[in-house]
Amino acid sequence: MHLIILKKVIFLQEIRNKDSHSLQTRSSIIIFVIVLFLIFLTRIISFLLFHTIAELFSIVIAFSVFAIGWNTRKNIESSLFLILGVSFAFIGLIDLLHTLAYKGLDIFEGYDANLPTQLWIAARYLQAGSFLIAVILFNKKINPNQLVIFYTILIIILLLLIFSEIFPVCYIEGSGLTTFKIVSEYVIIGILLGVILYLYKLRKEFARPMFNLMVFSNIFTIFAELAFTTYISVYGVSIIIGHIFKIISFYLIYLAIIHKGLEDPLNTLFSKLKHSEETLVMKAEDLERAYSLLKESEEKFRLTFENASDALIWADTSTGTILNCNHATEILLERNKEEIIGMNQTNLHPPEKREFYKNLFKRHVESEEIRSDEAEVITKSGKVIPVTISASNIVVGGDLIIQGIFHDISKIKKAEQKLKNMVSTVSHELRTPITVLIMSMDLYRDRQDSMTPELQNKIIETMERNITLLKDLSEDILTISKIDEKKMELELSEFKLLDIIMDIVIFLKPFCQEKNVSFNIDIDKNIELKGDNKKIDQVFRIVLDNAIKYSFEDSMVNINAIDNYKSQSNLVEKKDGVLIQFKNHGIGISREDLPHIFDRFYRASNVGDISGTGLGLAIAKAIVQLHQGEIYIESELGKSTTFSIFFPKIN
Ligand code: ATP
Ligand code: MG
């Protein structure tokens, strides 16, 4: 907006300047014409008065040309105007002598009308010659001082020639102009024509008005010269016309030198000014662009800072006062920004370890590299959260501050703990059957001969059971890793539900007998399931194994199935399928344990010394989900537990 206004102002100024300039030129021309007319009028009084005033006027112009040319020589780049300017001082000087020597004034005693005529012709030679040299040396560099010296010497020589009467005679009283004078005028006209031709050649170097001024100045001089070739008396009409033309010619040079010496540089100055204004405008535009880019990147940075998933905290390096933080910090610490900013960073940590964290902060401030340490922060509600803090010193707005990136590692810590648990559970689970196997083998080897066949069978059975256990455990771990790697694939087939359940029950019978647990099965023999029968078999085995393991002695396990069951749960949208329920009476599961019962390696607190890895239900759930089914549990601690498994109809 501001730029547009600025541009308009510059444009309007330009127009106003151009207008005032043309007005000035016009009014000065009008004044000149009036003065010229007044000079002409003096002829009525006397010819001498006319001649004197006309000459003086042209001399004034000549000296003005010199004065302007000389004083503005630094602005005039072309030597043409410098030569013109300097030459006019000397032309004016000779013209002055010519005026003073004019017939009737009788200032130079002993000289007749020949002297002013000689001086005249000398001045015109000098004028035409100077112009010719000026156009020839158009773009040559000329030293102004040397030029003045040259002209001074030249004029001294000329005057010496004239006053010592060596200069050819130009006017003879009674007979008029000499041949030398008339020929000289033609020679001068020739030189001036040459100058015009030369100017025409150089026309591209000048602006049109400048070119016109110079050409017309020469044309008027030519006219003046033509007029002077014709006079017989030094008071004749042709002399009056000649002088008028001469004044016009001088005036045109005056206009040219004014234009070149004053207005041109002003225009140049103005165009430089305009150029620098334009540059300024461009720079302002660049600045505006840079500013908007800066704002954009600032906004990007702010968004990145604000939306970072890790908590970002800026603190004063010397006091530890928190200066800024992002939204993730608010979530991590359960506090809003207003509370956090202004707090001391040590208060982010549990109170009992603040001294340690004070030192850690110091180490972070002193460190030249990015440091990463494990730490703990305390939330508003008093929860302790493990984090890693990556700290680095950064400069914000010229101040050195410390930036801490707080990354919540509680999930990693939990996973680590889980892994530790798994390793210890697995190794414990492995150790038991392996120990039993080793002991059985030792016993068999040492006492083989003295053993009764029944004892031998028993030992072999024990060994077989433990080998199966080892096999099961390794298979469980393998299954879990397959699930994790998403490598588990289903081999679909249709099979009868009752058949599969009966097979498992028969297989588990020995274990049931130990606790005297019996089964009550209520399943229609026609109910069919479609799925991977080996994997579904594994699910039922896991659930039934638990049902026996966690049942009271002499209790009953009920198994029933509902066909065409419409699932009501959110997970499956009212799909049609089969619901199988397993209810056992035993230790049950507490409310606290229920939500975690499907977690890997999770075992309820009431399992006591009942063996297990805590992997069974995690595997069962994964297999059911692969079939787009669902598994859920209801339990009453110390009473009963029911597992419900739903398999939707697969087409
Ligand atoms: P394993 O992987 O060897 O079967 P596990 O039986 O301990 O070991 P899961 O089958 O995954 O592991 O069962 C997880 C936990 O759920 C058990 O440790 C137990 O606490 C609880 N649980 C499972 N079924 C029952 C049940 N029918 N009655 C009571 N608690 C049960
Ligand atoms: Mg189990």
Side-chain angles (χ1 to χ4, degrees), residues 374-376 385-388 408-420:
E374 276 195 18
E376 280 174 342
I385 298 174
V387 291
T388 54
D408 183 345
I409 52 166
S410 43
K411 275 189 187 154
I412 298 171
K413 284 277 168 199
K414 260 187 206 152
E416 259 178 29
Q417 195 52 48
K418 254 190 180 175
L419 196 73
K420 270 186 201 159

Side-chain angles (χ1 to χ4, degrees), residues 326-363:
N326 65 349
H327 184 56
T329 315
E330 296 181 299
I331 296 170
L332 179 73
L333 301 175
E334 298 170 352
R335 291 175 193 274
N336 57 35
K337 259 189 197 175
E338 287 72 40
E339 278 179 87
I340 301 166
I341 294 171
M343 256 172 95
N344 196 291
Q345 62 78 33
T346 38
N347 297 338
L348 301 177
H349 306 287
E352 65 276 10
K353 293 179 190 164
R354 284 194 184 147
E355 207 43 50
F356 167 77
Y357 286 112
K358 224 178 185 173
N359 292 329
L360 183 69
F361 180 75
K362 240 185 185 171
R363 286 202 294 277

